[in-house]
Amino acid sequence: MAISDSLRQQVIDRAGYRCEYCKTSSRLTGSPLVMDHICPISQGGQDSADNLAAACYRCNEFKGARTGATDPQTQQFVPLFNPRRQQWREHFHWDNGGTQIIGITSIGRATIISLRLNNDNIVAARAIWTEFGWHPPKIN
């Protein structure tokens, strides 16, 4: 079943037009957000608002059907960040003037590695955005 346009818009509105993983604004990139199934369809996930997250193309591609990964600090397998059940600020914070995302929990660290939230391209873009005061976003 396809995700309806109204549900897609509801998810994007709820996310404030930002990727719910890396917090990149689609209005800065000019690229539309895609729908990430937090629990993939292949693992029983549904096309429901509670299971959908607005994601940038890169985060969605790197996440794929994964729901967990290894924390590089503890070497434990942990669930990835779930934007529906967890608060971003409880697992991540900005560093290096807002160009780098730091994981402050095992979930945060595993998510950063899995989704490559600090890849060279996005860090370079964040550096430009911070110069203009467009980044980092305020996280509630």
Side-chain angles (χ1 to χ4, degrees):
M1 185 169 129
I3 300 168
S4 69
D5 290 345
S6 64
L7 178 55
R8 183 179 310 274
Q9 190 59 52
Q10 175 189 346
V11 172
I12 291 170
D13 287 345
R14 178 179 62 199
Y17 289 81
R18 293 188 178 279
C19 173
E20 296 189 67
Y21 297 104
C22 71
K23 296 298 182 187
T24 296
S25 172
S26 65
R27 292 180 168 158
L28 286 178
T29 64
S31 297
L33 295 167
V34 298
M35 294 294 102
D36 174 63
H37 289 86
I38 298 166
C39 178
I41 297 288
S42 63
Q43 297 178 30
Q46 302 292 312
D47 288 338
S48 65
D50 287 345
N51 190 44
L52 293 173
C56 66
Y57 181 78
R58 289 185 66 107
C59 284
N60 186 253
E61 284 293 306
F62 289 130
K63 181 176 174 284
R66 285 188 256 178
T67 59
T70 302
D71 172 9
Q73 185 173 315
T74 66
Q75 301 305 310
Q76 292 183 330
F77 192 80
V78 298
L80 294 177
F81 173 67
N82 181 326
R84 295 289 69 76
R85 294 193 175 99
Q86 299 164 326
Q87 297 292 314
W88 196 90
R89 68 178 183 276
E90 293 175 359
H91 296 279
F92 309 98
H93 73 82
W94 295 107
D95 201 6
N96 294 331
T99 61
Q100 299 271 330
I101 298 174
I102 303 297
I104 55 177
T105 64
S106 58
I107 289 171
R109 290 185 296 268
T111 301
I112 287 170
I113 296 297
S114 294
L115 277 61
R116 303 179 194 178
L117 299 183
N118 290 316
N119 69 74
D120 291 344
N121 293 324
I122 195 64
V123 169
R126 288 175 190 149
I128 294 168
W129 299 336
T130 57
E131 284 185 30
F132 289 95
W134 302 334
H135 187 84
K138 292 181 181 173
I139 307 294
N140 297 323

